Amino acid sequence: EASDDNKQPGVPTAELEEVRLCPISLQQPVITKLDASLGQLKKCKQLRLSTNSIDKINNLSGLDSLEILSMGRNMLKKIEGLEPVAETLQQLWLSYNKIASLAGIEKLQNLQVLFMSNNMIDKWAEIERLTSLTKLRDVNFFGNPIQQKAAEDGSWRIELLKRLPNLKNIDGQMVEDDEREQARCG
């Protein structure tokens, strides 16, 4: 059920374009599960479920207009349940979870922004799952084991660009022309 902070006078829940379900800011109990009532949000373009205790992405059927899904600071361990929004989703915000694999992300062919900072990604093979996402322009992997290790030896941004040459922003910083050139030549 959409809370009072989502209500716009005279706008039914099914017509809301932005829904924020972050109960901690209202000193309410956190959300632990996504239920089928989310399907009522037919026109919702941005769904914010950050700072909860959700451990599984599911019940997104019916969110026919969803472009931005924000689920940072939850208990997610994997990327799943996004098939119902695979056609429309452009931004996925999953920072501060416990995600170690990007399996399943390949289905999000319209994804442009992926925020995954402070998760548990530790293998280049996981990053390489993103190569099929040709519209991806902005990623944030800061604080993941793979980013920390590669940043220590100074290779993180170049190695990422070798695999994902279309990126425009990495970890909150614009990609420089010389970095792009290094990745192309290296």
Side-chain angles (χ1 to χ4, degrees):
E1 182 67 22
S3 62
D4 291 339
D5 62 334
N6 294 304
K7 292 295 182 193
Q8 297 156 12
V11 179
T13 299
E15 298 292 317
L16 291 172
E17 290 190 5
E18 184 177 334
V19 177
R20 183 172 181 222
L21 298 171
C22 306
I24 202 162
S25 63
L26 303 171
Q27 297 181 333
Q28 301 287 319
V30 296
I31 297 167
T32 57
K33 297 203 178 331
L34 300 179
D35 67 34
S37 67
L38 286 174
Q40 299 170 30
L41 303 171
K42 300 280 182 212
K43 299 269 174 84
C44 181
K45 291 183 178 180
Q46 181 173 353
L47 180 58
R48 295 195 278 175
L49 293 158
S50 299
T51 317
N52 280 292
S53 293
I54 300 164
D55 63 1
K56 186 174 184 179
I57 303 171
N58 60 359
N59 287 313
L60 298 181
S61 294
L63 287 150
D64 302 334
S65 304
L66 194 64
E67 295 174 358
I68 302 171
L69 179 59
S70 174
M71 294 188 71
R73 297 185 188 276
N74 274 285
M75 308 295 283
L76 300 172
K77 291 188 176 82
K78 56 185 175 178
I79 296 173
E80 61 187 340
L82 294 172
E83 294 81 3
V85 296
E87 297 292 313
T88 59
L89 200 64
Q90 297 173 15
Q91 298 187 27
L92 185 57
W93 304 351
L94 296 175
S95 294
Y96 293 94
N97 276 287
K98 300 171 187 307
I99 300 168
S101 172
L102 295 174
I105 201 144
E106 303 91 338
K107 300 175 183 99
L108 306 178
Q109 289 300 306
N110 289 309
L111 197 66
Q112 298 170 24
V113 175
L114 177 63
F115 293 157
M116 289 286 303
S117 71
N118 298 285
N119 273 284
M120 301 169 81
I121 306 296
D122 64 355
K123 294 181 184 67
W124 282 111
E126 295 304 325
I127 301 292
E128 288 160 5
R129 293 178 187 273
L130 303 173
T131 57
S132 66
L133 304 180
T134 57
K135 296 180 181 177
L136 191 62
R137 298 289 179 266
D138 189 349
V139 298
N140 191 332
F141 284 99
F142 186 83
N144 280 272
I146 190 164
Q147 181 272 335
Q148 292 172 322
K149 186 176 184 312
E152 281 174 19
D153 62 26
S155 66
W156 169 244
R157 293 173 63 86
I158 304 306
E159 288 302 317
L160 197 56
L161 282 169
K162 284 180 185 176
R163 291 161 172 86
L164 304 169
N166 294 331
L167 291 179
K168 303 250 186 278
N169 280 292
I170 298 172
D171 302 335
Q173 293 185 323
M174 297 231 359
V175 172
E176 303 290 336
D177 290 341
D178 62 324
E179 290 176 310
R180 202 172 295 288
E181 187 62 28
Q182 247 183 296
R184 235 192 324 265
C185 298

